[in-house]
Amino acid sequence: MPYSTDLYLRRAERDDLEQVIAWMSEPDFTHFLYGDPAQSPRQVREKIISMLGRQAGAIMPPAIYLIIDSPSLGTIGMISLQQISWRNRSCAIDVYVDRKHRDHWITAAAVFRALEYCFDELNLHRVSAFIYAFNRASWRVFELAGARRELVFEAHVPREGKLEDAYGYGLLREDFDRVRQERSRFAEGMSLRGMIEKLLAEPDPGDPAQ
Amino acid sequence: MTLQVSPDASVRAADPDDAGRLIFYYRSSRMYSALLDQRREPVMATRDELAEMLAGKDRLGGQLFALMDCSGSVIGFGGLRGASLENLTGEVFLLLRDDSDYAASSARGMLAFLLDRAFGRMHLNKVLAVGLVEEEEGWRTLLRETGFHSCGVQRQIVYARGRWFDLETFTLKQETWLNAVQHGPLPAAG
């Protein structure tokens, strides 16, 4: 029986504030996303709060915060599109999924939805992501979406007393379209969940352990 | 106060009177990665804005310098920006009129001066630099010759002049720089 997901994205609003602040209090939030002491938690919080409820359709916002929601699962996580350049038609994406929903298929489905939004709704040309090397699940999802690892920063980010590598990913609209076309062929007669699980099970050519 | 950085060039802190010289680069038909903002958009500044920026207290954190030839004429600008407390990094940039100018000893001297500040005074762990592929071959060559290591190229990240530009990012670690200064062949600033 085909699996269907009720996952959808919507703009973050003031009612989401409590949930967003709760996520921001999670150690994972700063570990994976915003661990820069140059930006205090207060600054990050104020930036996000100021964006909540802003009329995205009325102006050309520099950032858009989206909530990953589901009628069956509830509020799942947050996606932020930052440094949006309407001239270069580009943005940087960050994804945060609540720990209790953090399995591969939900994250992958959310990222695919967000990328569709970037390319099909905002008409962007390029989406960038800066991902720490230890966050393998995240960068694998981006690779599955067609993103290329364009930058490698060795010993770049301090985490728990150690300098970790970080990667810069770039996804062009043509990369994403190509993957969508290829995957739609593979996905005929298959469920979305099955497709994503199959993709995640594929060996990672860059992983020496495989 | 000026500081000799090569036999034929010296640097000094940029001041508001440099706005008229700095705007040349903003109005040039050449593309300079140094003039891209955080979103990698080319900035279209006015002379007044530049004068205000140069008169400001922070003056890019006090890190914008004018490069002068023997006669005292300004032949370029350079500086450090975007220092991050998280990983002790900053980005170095150099603005010279022509791409071939980056091969001159004055350019090497200026870059050495900036790196000396970044690693010696600011104690950064790493310095980043970016260069537009195809447009800034001279600058990218200078970076490589100075010991910078390429981290990769971001594809089609800048749109200007009716087309896309790729941007290459470089890094230089403090230990690489200090080792090079001690053992050559890099020139030490001052």
Side-chain angles (χ1 to χ4, degrees), chain A residues 25-204:
Chain A
S25 308
E26 291 276 328
D28 278 2
F29 195 89
T30 48
H31 187 68
F32 288 116
L33 288 179
Y34 305 112
D36 187 350
Q39 280 205 314
S40 68
R42 189 177 160 193
Q43 283 176 307
V44 174
R45 186 171 300 177
E46 282 175 357
K47 196 168 106 181
I48 293 177
I49 289 169
S50 73
M51 292 305 299
L52 296 181
R54 186 172 285 186
Q55 289 191 329
I59 54 170
M60 296 168 88
I64 296 175
Y65 291 87
L66 301 168
I67 295 293
I68 311 163
D69 210 342
S70 157
S72 58
L73 300 170
T75 312
I76 286 165
M78 183 173 76
I79 287 174
S80 70
L81 309 175
Q82 300 191 51
Q83 295 182 14
I84 301 176
S85 164
W86 298 101
R87 173 187 175 129
N88 295 330
R89 289 171 45 216
S90 64
C91 75
I93 189 170
D94 283 326
V95 180
Y96 185 78
V97 175
D98 195 307
R99 185 188 291 271
K100 63 179 180 282
H101 296 299
R102 209 172 293 165
D103 79 19
H104 285 317
W105 89 265
I106 288 183
T107 309
V111 169
F112 271 71
R113 285 271 190 275
L115 294 172
E116 283 174 340
Y117 182 74
C118 290
F119 293 118
D120 299 345
E121 303 301 327
L122 298 181
N123 190 27
L124 296 183
H125 175 73
R126 179 192 156 94
V127 176
S128 303
F130 186 80
I131 309 173
Y132 306 140
F134 58 76
N135 193 359
R136 185 177 183 278
S138 283
W139 55 255
R140 279 290 285 153
V141 166
F142 275 92
E143 287 183 350
L144 293 170
R148 290 194 205 166
R149 189 184 295 171
E150 296 175 330
L151 301 175
V152 176
F153 294 100
E154 291 172 5
H156 196 69
V157 185
R159 283 292 181 279
E160 287 146 20
K162 190 179 150 197
L163 282 172
E164 301 278 357
D165 293 353
Y167 302 141
Y169 277 89
L171 178 67
L172 301 181
R173 179 200 285 264
E174 64 199 50
D175 300 330
F176 189 58
D177 285 345
R178 193 181 313 117
V179 166
R180 276 200 288 199
Q181 204 172 8
E182 288 170 6
R183 299 308 187 205
S184 68
R185 195 158 40 82
F186 291 135
E188 277 173 22
M190 289 174 61
S191 70
L192 173 64
R193 183 172 197 153
M195 179 185 79
I196 293 169
E197 283 173 350
K198 180 173 175 287
L199 293 173
L200 287 167
E202 285 177 1
D204 169 14

Side-chain angles (χ1 to χ4, degrees), chain B residues 102-118:
Chain B
Y102 291 90
S105 63
S106 54
R108 287 176 190 279
M110 177 68 150
L111 182 56
F113 162 76
L114 294 171
L115 293 172
D116 195 48
R117 287 186 67 86

Side-chain angles (χ1 to χ4, degrees), chain A residues 3-38:
Chain A
Y3 184 89
S4 63
T5 172
D6 59 3
L7 218 63
Y8 69 99
L9 302 182
R10 60 171 173 77
R11 279 185 50 218
E13 51 197 333
R14 295 224 167 251
D15 287 348
D16 297 310
L17 199 55
E18 203 176 319
Q19 176 64 76
V20 170
I21 288 173
W23 284 331
M24 291 170 83
S25 308
E26 291 276 328
D28 278 2
F29 195 89
T30 48
H31 187 68
F32 288 116
L33 288 179
Y34 305 112
D36 187 350

